[in-house]
Amino acid sequence: MMKLYLDPGHGGSDSGAVGNALKEKDIVLDIAFKIRTILTNNYQNVEVRMSRTSDTSKSLSQRTNEANSWGADYFLSIHCNSFNGSAKGYEDFIHSSLSDTSTTAKYQDIIHTEVIRVNQLQDRGQKKANFHVLRETAMPALLTENGFIDNSQDAALMRDSSWRQKVAQGHVNGIAKAFNLQRKTTDDSEIVYKIIVGSFKSRENAEKRVDYLRGKGIESFIDIDTVSGETRYRIQAGAFSNRDNAEKRIEEVKKAGIEDAFIVQETNSNDEENSGYAILGPTFISPKHMNQFVKQINTDALELGNYYFSFGEYYGIRGDIAFAQAMHETDFLRFTGVVKAEQNNFCGLGATGPDNPGASFDTPSEGVLAHLQHLFAYASTKPLPDKYPLVDPRFNLVNRGSANTWVALNGKWAVPGDNYGQGILSIYERNIKATMQNLEKVLQDIKS
């Protein structure tokens, strides 16, 4: 059992450094909580004790005495810096009496490397000092200074919860490497290492990053996330089951000139009901590639990709898989069944046979909107967001939240429909394959 004593600096009457309407004690407590959560949720044989878990005062002696009495294996103190408003960046400290070949110094080397990989801060280096928490601890100890709170650029990052999560993940990655911690796994799950190469508030900036990476021969896509109610566009450049392969991709990305790349470790379940094919989630395929895909089969097809992308993004639904469902229902917009093209009913809402072809909608946009609203009814129990009017005539007939995945629509959306969801996913996977082939051709053209 590895025992980590985690020390968010300051607290209570001691606010620590202040600047840009921020207090050090608040920032470091949040980072420490995130470190504890990641470690205890994802790693075996690790125990974390925090010097404080609220805004309370605690002396330096109380902190070191508690860690020593507990028999901690490592002492990690989390801080932010301040100076004159112009200084910025990250640095960390071990005690000044220690040699560069000491165990503590080796731990510092590892953790420093991992934190700098993700924190988007200037690297001010690895340092030594005679701080109390480094001097009076009986175990290896490190104090990290995570940016300058009185610097406007560093402070802007500190305000962002997703940045604090990155910083926490960097610390955890370093600790896991230093102490050879093993991740928690179960028989029905596997670890996935996702390569994240930027997070943007602007979709335009995210698309520029994707275009740049693809120009360097590195495939990537935009993953939409919500942080504190704010939409962020996160760029992913691969996912690997092997950590070494993920590290190699990180090096490729850095050689391409992107320094803010980092690895996120996730556990993916193989259980069908909890697989990656959930109804709720980000849309990966662009409107252009959705339209290209259907036109390869039906050259006269309407271009619906933008509707599925934008409404999917708004409702938090996989718009690209909903598009595949529409292709499944309409025979790639050829409308060879009971529903006819003029109905703009792309998902067969209410259609039960020749005598009842189902609902009709005034425009293609309205038909797609009804489709996404109906999926939202199945996948979520939350109230329908109110930016758009409710146009799905069967929304209130759905047992809310009764289908979280596409396969779970079997026997609900289509009856009996034993393989209904599987059919949708098969079309989606064909779209993915076609998209990748198109991108590879573009990359070959760029290289030539």
Side-chain angles (χ1 to χ4, degrees):
M1 177 68 69
M2 185 270 185
K3 299 168 72 173
L4 172 68
Y5 189 89
L6 185 55
D7 174 37
H10 310 284
S13 59
D14 176 12
S15 64
V18 295
N20 294 291
L22 298 173
K23 295 179 181 179
E24 179 183 2
K25 66 177 183 178
D26 300 327
I27 300 298
V28 299
L29 181 61
D30 186 58
I31 293 172
F33 273 133
K34 294 180 188 303
I35 291 172
R36 184 180 69 172
T37 297
I38 298 170
L39 275 173
T40 56
N41 284 351
N42 298 306
Y43 288 90
Q44 304 175 35
N45 300 319
V46 60
E47 186 175 355
V48 180
R49 180 173 295 186
M50 292 175 60
S51 60
R52 64 183 183 93
T53 56
S54 61
D55 186 20
T56 55
S57 298
K58 199 165 193 175
S59 71
L60 295 176
S61 295
Q62 286 176 308
R63 299 171 198 240
T64 53
N65 288 343
E66 189 171 86
N68 291 338
S69 298
W70 184 47
D73 296 301
Y74 197 58
F75 187 105
L76 177 61
S77 192
I78 309 296
H79 287 259
C80 299
N81 228 327
S82 67
F83 184 56
N84 60 3
S86 62
K88 59 183 179 180
Y90 169 85
E91 58 194 15
D92 47 42
F93 295 84
I94 61 173
H95 192 254
S96 51
S97 66
L98 296 168
S99 73
D100 292 341
T101 58
S102 65
T103 298
T104 301
K106 291 177 181 177
Y107 291 160
Q108 181 186 29
D109 291 343
I110 295 169
I111 295 172
H112 183 95
T113 299
E114 292 299 322
V115 174
I116 281 295
R117 277 184 174 178
V118 303
N119 68 2
Q120 303 169 246
L121 295 173
Q122 176 183 315
D123 186 354
R124 296 173 59 88
Q126 299 169 233
K127 301 182 179 181
K128 298 178 182 180
N130 189 31
F131 298 145
H132 175 96
V133 295
L134 303 178
R135 183 184 65 248
E136 301 300 326
T137 41
M139 70 293 301
L142 180 72
L143 184 146
T144 65
E145 293 279 8
N146 296 276
F148 283 73
I149 204 167
D150 58 347
N151 178 275
S152 58
Q153 292 179 344
D154 285 6
L157 291 172
M158 292 178 193
R159 284 193 182 90
D160 187 344
S161 177
S162 66
W163 177 82
R164 300 193 296 272
Q165 183 73 26
K166 289 181 191 177
V167 170
Q169 185 70 62
H171 282 77
V172 169
N173 291 347
I175 292 168
K177 277 191 172 183
F179 289 90
N180 195 30
L181 299 180
Q182 301 300 307
R183 287 188 60 92
K184 293 178 179 177
T185 58
T186 60
D187 291 340
D188 62 347
S189 64
E190 60 179 4
I191 305 303
V192 175
Y193 302 94
K194 295 184 177 180
I195 311 304
I196 307 302
V197 290
S199 180
F200 301 89
K201 293 181 180 179
S202 161
R203 185 176 189 97
E204 181 180 359
N205 290 339
E207 289 172 346
K208 288 179 180 177
R209 172 65 59 87
V210 168
D211 290 341
Y212 175 82
L213 286 165
R214 288 175 177 169
K216 297 289 185 179
I218 299 172
E219 185 52 44
S220 60
F221 61 84
I222 298 173
D223 183 5
I224 302 169
D225 194 13
T226 301
V227 179
S228 301
E230 181 180 63
T231 299
R232 303 284 300 193
Y233 300 96
R234 191 172 74 164
I235 313 303
Q236 184 175 322
F240 303 86
S241 58
N242 181 283
R243 174 89 190 198
D244 290 340
N245 291 337
E247 298 279 4
K248 289 176 184 176
R249 175 54 59 86
I250 285 284
E251 294 306 317
E252 291 175 17
V253 169
K254 291 197 171 186
K255 285 179 181 177
I258 305 296
E259 292 296 327
D260 58 341
F262 63 98
I263 296 173
V264 172
Q265 301 176 8
E266 295 183 1
T267 301
N268 277 0
S269 172
N270 292 324
D271 185 331
E272 185 176 71
E273 286 296 311
N274 296 302
S275 71
Y277 290 122
I279 291 175
L280 298 179
T283 299
F284 296 144
I285 301 177
S286 70
K288 173 184 174 181
H289 288 114
M290 291 187 224
N291 294 332
Q292 282 181 348
F293 172 64
V294 66
K295 283 181 178 291
Q296 288 173 358
I297 299 166
N298 174 14
T299 56
D300 297 325
L302 285 171
E303 294 192 354
L304 300 176
N306 190 57
Y307 299 137
Y308 277 97
F309 189 94
S310 59
F311 291 141
E313 181 177 312
Y314 177 70
Y315 289 114
I317 287 171
R318 292 292 308 272
D320 43 11
I321 305 184
F323 179 81
Q325 184 182 19
M327 300 306 101
H328 182 73
E329 288 279 353
T330 64
D331 189 18
F332 293 88
L333 299 177
R334 290 179 292 210
F335 295 94
T336 55
V338 297
V339 179
K340 301 306 176 185
E342 59 269 20
Q343 291 178 244
N344 293 312
N345 183 354
F346 306 110
C347 64
L349 272 175
T352 58
D355 296 332
N356 184 17
S360 294
F361 303 96
D362 292 338
T363 64
S365 173
E366 185 177 295
V368 176
L369 180 60
H371 182 182
L372 273 291
Q373 289 176 345
H374 204 62
L375 284 169
F376 186 88
Y378 271 110
S380 175
T381 58
K382 295 180 180 178
L384 185 72
D386 60 3
K387 179 178 178 179
Y388 302 105
L390 176 61
V391 295
D392 169 18
R394 301 181 65 81
F395 185 90
N396 293 318
L397 301 178
V398 174
N399 181 10
R400 297 295 311 279
S402 59
N404 296 321
T405 68
W406 300 92
V407 171
L409 293 175
N410 292 356
K412 297 184 177 73
W413 199 291
V415 180
D418 293 339
N419 292 296
Y420 179 72
Q422 288 88 337
I424 294 168
L425 296 177
S426 176
I427 293 173
Y428 169 70
E429 287 164 3
R430 286 168 58 190
N431 197 350
I432 287 283
K433 184 177 180 179
T435 299
M436 295 302 295
Q437 289 172 342
N438 288 333
L439 290 172
E440 286 172 5
K441 184 178 183 302
V442 170
L443 288 172
Q444 288 172 356
D445 292 342
I446 292 172
K447 289 177 181 178
S448 61

